[in-house]
Amino acid sequence: MPVNLTRNAIAMMNSGDVNSKPLVQVVDIKLIGNSQERIIVVLNMETIIPEYEIIGNPKLLMGSEPEANKSMPNNNLFEPSTRSTNNRYSAPAPANKAQSFQPTIQPAYQPPPNYKIQGPIMKNEAPARIIPIAALNPYQGRWAIKARVTAKGDLRRYNNARGDGKVFSFDLLDSDGGEIRVTCFNAVVDRFYNVIEVGKVYLISKGSLKPAQKNFNHLKNEWEIFLESNSTVELCPDEDGSIPRQQFSFRPITEIESAENNSILDVIGIVISVNPSVPILRKNGMETQRRILNLKDVSGKSVELTLWGDFCNKEGQKLQEMVDSGLFPVLAVKAGKVNDFNGKSIGTISSTQLFIDPDCPEAQGLRAWFESGGRNTASISISKEIMPGGSKNEIRKTLTQIKDEGLGRSDKPDWVTAKATVVFIKTDNFCYTACPLMIGDRQCNKKVTQSGNKRWLCDRCNQEFEECDYRYLLQVQIQDHTGLTWVTAFQEAGEEILGCSAKEMYLLKYELQDDTQFGEIIRSRLFHQYLFRLKIKEELYGDEQRVKITVVKVDKVNYSAESRYLLDMVTKNLPNRKQF
């Protein structure tokens, strides 16, 4: 059916008319380059007919002079086109009867009164209408989106050349599956930080769009929204079932092995082990908590997941209680960060979300696999079995093999794993006082001594400090079925073995002088079996060469996984013979 386009519409818009609502046809699309050609920015439009042949013979409007009053040779703006049949969007030829189509405009979204700064209304300002997140772009003047908050970051403070400031971000998801991050700074933080709640749906309008910072933003959107002083945020009190609670893009654990370091991804798996939470001193001198657990899935691989901060005490504690009671929950990780130190692992960040036994098809399928035999399927860890300088397969050695095979006596250190039991811990000089100063992105950690004014002096940094750090330097004797040996456990390994920080043990022994409780903690950690990741290297002590064994990592033995490992080793080493 023929369509009557609005006469002289292009010329009138070019001359500055912003009030008309013409019916026009899109005949070409191209990116905006660096040329100085004049353009018309469309702020609001409605698609009437998605596919139609090109009408008439459109000509490029040259120059910038108003042409609205120039006479046109025909009644229609364009003459019939001879090339319309070659257009890839062509439709069947129109019928003879002409029919006029008037554009219908979707009812506009009226900005809410809440959180809106009142001021003079701009001339020609029209209320924004709701559009999909995927349609947002920096060339829109007025827009509104309706979306659910799926994640909310912590309030962070910063200091730069412009002074002090604060910032927080939150992620949005709409009914079309579009996602985008919203960021607020300073005064805007005060307006919206307490307003935004995870899981709630909001109408949001006004704000600027800027390129997404992919180093910190994992969402699949090239833009981010920055709310401003005139931005509006209105809570939608009625639940909108068309907007999902969350959107995942799960990666199998086997694919994480080839993922780039620091990349952000979603993963889902069965929790097969959970380690206790231990205190960790961050590089900025603040103490936090760390908890390590392991996930496995149907790909035949498992991965280590490190929980930081509040994740340890909330979801982490619940997961440990479930695993200790014999339950193996499904855990979905939204926005975990890939780490390639000592193999590939996943860690939580501020925007990470954890979902225990989520109600989704992937979780149901994983649970069915696990209950139908997956729990007894051996899995290869992409985290623990890759040692620095070693091969991609875990190298298991007994303590006697370490000595008999002369490990550590070559130019490079040897990296092995040994299953052994802690039988003795030296309590003299179990830790040292360390320099807390940050040098670049690393802590100094040089031993400090207390001066006469009760301050701690670092010879390397040539500075004094009110407080120092406390770091483990444990000498531990371990034993397996073949023999025993001494190993050295530094900070993280020492915390895994003793279950508390070096500072706590130092204060208990030297400040409180509570030898009874100190001794009870030491005795309670004896005769526990672990998997020790060991670095073995010959070093020079005075005039004597000695082999030093350093504990790189300590893990509690998962006896179910260890039994499967031993069974697999037995099967591989059986001679090929017919079974009777």
Side-chain angles (χ1 to χ4, degrees):
M1 59 185 68
V3 177
N4 291 334
L5 302 180
T6 303
R7 181 184 177 90
N8 295 332
I10 304 298
M12 288 187 293
M13 285 189 289
N14 192 51
S15 64
D17 185 355
V18 295
N19 294 317
S20 62
K21 296 181 176 61
L23 180 63
V24 297
Q25 182 179 31
V26 177
V27 296
D28 191 18
I29 298 175
K30 68 176 181 178
L31 293 175
I32 298 177
N34 296 324
S35 63
Q36 300 298 319
E37 62 182 329
R38 181 167 181 172
I39 62 173
I40 297 173
V41 179
V42 178
L43 301 180
N44 200 348
M45 63 177 291
E46 174 100 4
T47 301
I48 305 301
I49 302 177
E51 295 183 3
Y52 203 82
E53 65 176 358
I54 293 181
I55 300 174
N57 185 21
K59 302 286 194 307
L60 182 63
L61 182 64
M62 303 301 294
S64 59
E65 294 298 324
E67 301 184 21
N69 298 323
K70 290 186 178 180
S71 60
M72 303 299 294
N74 300 316
N75 291 333
N76 291 330
L77 182 61
F78 299 123
E79 296 177 353
S81 172
T82 59
R83 59 184 180 93
S84 61
T85 55
N86 296 326
N87 190 280
R88 59 191 178 115
Y89 301 110
S90 61
N96 293 329
K97 289 187 178 181
Q99 182 176 355
S100 175
F101 283 81
Q102 296 299 323
T104 58
I105 304 299
Q106 178 177 332
Y109 157 62
Q110 181 65 38
N114 294 337
Y115 323 118
K116 183 175 182 181
I117 293 180
Q118 300 296 330
I121 300 177
M122 297 291 293
K123 183 179 180 181
N124 298 326
E125 181 178 2
R129 67 187 180 94
I130 299 174
I131 64 173
I133 288 177
L136 286 172
N137 65 75
Y139 306 107
Q140 291 164 319
R142 292 178 291 275
W143 50 263
I145 54 175
K146 181 180 181 181
R148 189 186 305 278
V149 176
T150 57
K152 178 183 178 182
D154 296 330
L155 176 61
R156 296 183 290 109
R157 299 184 182 275
Y158 62 87
N159 180 275
N160 56 27
R162 298 180 180 179
D164 297 334
K166 51 189 174 181
V167 60
F168 91 100
S169 300
F170 56 95
D171 298 340
L172 295 175
L173 171 66
D174 69 6
S175 58
D176 293 326
E179 292 184 286
I180 196 167
R181 175 158 296 176
V182 182
T183 301
C184 304
F185 284 94
N186 301 325
V188 183
V189 172
D190 298 332
R191 295 179 58 208
F192 297 128
Y193 183 75
N194 293 326
V195 173
I196 299 299
E197 296 184 41
V198 175
K200 299 293 182 65
V201 177
Y202 297 87
L203 286 171
I204 299 176
S205 67
K206 297 184 181 179
S208 60
L209 275 84
K210 299 179 182 179
Q213 301 180 38
K214 289 303 181 181
N215 291 339
F216 310 99
N217 188 343
H218 63 280
L219 301 182
K220 295 179 180 179
N221 197 317
E222 60 178 316
W223 307 108
E224 292 183 23
I225 296 175
F226 287 78
L227 294 186
E228 299 170 339
S229 59
N230 64 339
S231 300
T232 62
V233 175
E234 180 185 23
L235 174 66
C236 299
D238 298 329
E239 174 64 24
D240 191 332
S242 66
I243 304 179
R245 305 293 300 183
Q246 189 55 264
Q247 181 168 268
F248 297 99
S249 182
F250 292 124
R251 296 275 295 276
I253 293 177
T254 186
E255 291 185 8
I256 299 176
E257 196 167 9
S258 59
E260 293 185 4
N261 186 37
N262 296 325
S263 59
I264 308 297
L265 48 76
D266 302 343
V267 64
I268 188 170
I270 298 286
V271 180
I272 56 176
S273 67
V274 181
N275 289 344
S277 178
V278 296
I280 296 292
L281 189 67
R282 290 188 178 274
K283 295 178 180 179
N284 60 6
M286 302 297 291
E287 189 176 87
T288 187
Q289 295 291 314
R290 184 188 68 185
R291 186 190 292 271
I292 297 175
L293 54 87
N294 286 274
L295 303 175
K296 67 181 284 187
D297 68 4
V298 298
S299 68
K301 297 291 182 71
S302 62
V303 67
E304 189 177 87
L305 172 65
T306 302
L307 308 183
W308 295 98
D310 290 340
F311 289 110
C312 298
N313 301 323
K314 295 179 181 178
E315 295 89 346
Q317 184 61 34
K318 181 178 180 180
L319 289 169
Q320 182 171 17
E321 293 172 356
M322 296 177 73
V323 172
D324 289 346
S325 63
L327 301 176
F328 299 92
V330 176
L331 180 66
V333 182
K334 175 73 174 178
K337 185 177 182 179
V338 176
N339 189 306
D340 63 359
F341 177 75
N342 196 21
K344 288 294 176 65
S345 61
I346 303 293
T348 61
I349 55 178
S350 60
S351 58
T352 300
Q353 291 180 280
L354 303 179
F355 301 88
I356 301 175
D357 287 328
D359 184 14
C360 65
E362 294 87 351
Q364 296 167 3
L366 200 56
R367 171 59 60 192
W369 165 79
F370 187 75
E371 297 298 339
S372 63
R375 69 168 63 232
N376 300 317
T377 302
S379 59
I380 300 174
S381 174
I382 67 174
S383 305
K384 302 174 182 178
E385 297 177 358
I386 303 177
M387 301 301 294
S391 66
K392 288 192 175 182
N393 295 318
E394 180 184 47
I395 302 175
R396 284 285 190 103
K397 296 291 183 181
T398 64
L399 300 185
T400 297
Q401 283 178 312
I402 292 175
K403 180 180 179 181
D404 293 345
E405 296 179 11
L407 298 183
R409 298 188 181 277
S410 59
D411 293 337
K412 295 182 178 180
D414 289 306
W415 306 82
V416 302
T417 298
K419 183 176 67 175
T421 301
V422 174
V423 294
F424 188 80
I425 301 174
K426 285 187 177 181
T427 57
D428 295 334
N429 302 320
F430 65 92
C431 72
Y432 72 96
T433 51
C435 175
L437 184 67
M438 297 299 298
I439 304 176
D441 61 347
R442 292 179 177 271
Q443 187 173 332
C444 172
N445 288 334
K446 178 73 174 177
K447 185 176 180 179
V448 294
T449 56
Q450 201 166 29
S451 60
N453 59 2
K454 302 298 183 180
R455 293 169 63 88
W456 297 95
L457 173 64
C458 176
D459 292 334
R460 174 192 288 176
C461 302
N462 195 26
Q463 293 191 39
E464 291 185 344
F465 308 93
E466 293 286 348
E467 297 288 340
C468 67
D469 194 7
Y470 298 86
R471 298 185 66 83
Y472 275 121
L473 186 60
L474 281 183
Q475 299 298 319
V476 181
Q477 192 175 48
I478 61 175
Q479 181 177 8
D480 67 4
H481 64 285
T482 67
L484 53 81
T485 190
W486 285 96
V487 298
T488 301
F490 290 98
Q491 184 72 345
E492 287 77 13
E495 290 172 341
E496 293 285 356
I497 293 173
L498 290 183
C500 58
S501 69
K503 183 177 181 179
E504 290 177 277
M505 295 294 286
Y506 180 90
L507 295 177
L508 194 63
K509 182 176 177 64
Y510 295 107
E511 299 291 337
L512 301 177
Q513 297 184 353
D514 191 343
D515 292 335
T516 300
Q517 187 176 354
F518 180 87
E520 288 178 356
I521 294 177
I522 296 295
R523 286 190 293 272
S524 69
R525 309 310 295 177
L526 299 180
F527 306 111
H528 285 271
Q529 194 175 50
Y530 300 95
L531 283 177
F532 292 93
R533 271 62 178 179
L534 304 175
K535 174 187 175 183
I536 309 167
K537 184 70 176 71
E538 191 175 52
E539 296 182 358
L540 183 64
Y541 290 86
D543 297 330
E544 183 182 359
Q545 290 282 353
R546 297 181 185 176
V547 174
K548 182 178 180 180
I549 304 177
T550 304
V551 180
V552 177
K553 191 173 177 55
V554 181
D555 286 311
K556 293 174 61 176
V557 177
N558 183 311
Y559 291 102
S560 177
E562 186 66 12
S563 297
R564 291 193 295 270
Y565 168 81
L566 294 175
L567 181 61
D568 184 56
M569 293 297 293
V570 170
T571 303
K572 288 180 179 179
N573 288 280
L574 281 175
N576 293 326
R577 60 186 180 184
K578 184 181 295 184
Q579 301 294 321
F580 296 96

